[in-house]
Amino acid sequence: MSTDLRFVAEQCVTLAAKEFSEQLDFTVDSLVRLDSVCERLLAEGPLGGERLDLWWKLVGAYTGEVLVQVYGGVWTSDATPAVIVNGHTALPFTIANRVLSGEPFKSLASFARVFPALIARSGQA
């Protein structure tokens, strides 16, 4: 599964560059740029149907892959893809859905930036 999601994340990098001139490099800071892509997508109106499905998959896979690469997380093989980071479960497709639905105050970058504090707080650093 992780290979498939890595491939989808790479497709997100390609499409963000092609359609929005945004360079994504699998860092937490690149999630700020992906947040911008999502904002621009929503500026055109609510996403729906195949377009929402496509971007949900791309954004969720990319966000999860950032957690894998930056924090040493691992994809789970459960029915709902998740990333385990030092014992903490992250649901990148859930945050992708919230961001792409235009939920106020939701951010991919903020989602990823919370993990160092969670790890430190739980004493698992």
Side-chain angles (χ1 to χ4, degrees):
M1 177 206 307
S2 62
T3 304
D4 294 340
L5 291 171
R6 169 67 187 191
F7 176 78
V8 173
E10 290 169 352
Q11 298 306 304
C12 183
V13 171
T14 300
L15 196 56
K18 180 180 176 185
E19 298 295 323
F20 297 95
S21 299
E22 292 289 353
Q23 302 303 310
L24 305 179
D25 59 3
F26 294 99
T27 62
V28 173
D29 286 341
S30 71
L31 290 172
V32 173
R33 294 187 293 279
L34 190 53
D35 277 326
S36 174
V37 167
C38 293
E39 288 174 18
R40 289 158 63 187
L41 284 165
L42 292 172
E44 299 171 8
L47 298 180
E50 290 179 5
R51 192 164 188 229
L52 176 59
D53 291 343
L54 170 69
W55 281 102
W56 170 78
K57 190 172 184 179
L58 294 170
V59 170
Y62 183 84
T63 302
E65 194 60 28
V66 167
L67 298 178
V68 167
Q69 292 190 31
V70 172
Y71 301 123
V74 293
W75 286 102
T76 64
S77 57
D78 296 334
T80 301
V83 176
I84 306 298
V85 178
N86 286 41
H88 299 279
T89 302
L91 301 170
F93 289 94
T94 299
I95 192 67
N97 185 61
R98 289 178 171 176
V99 168
L100 291 168
S101 297
E103 189 173 320
F105 309 111
K106 295 300 176 197
S107 161
L108 305 167
S110 293
F111 172 75
R113 286 185 177 135
V114 76
F115 280 90
L118 286 174
I119 294 165
R121 192 168 187 176
S122 67
Q124 297 180 13

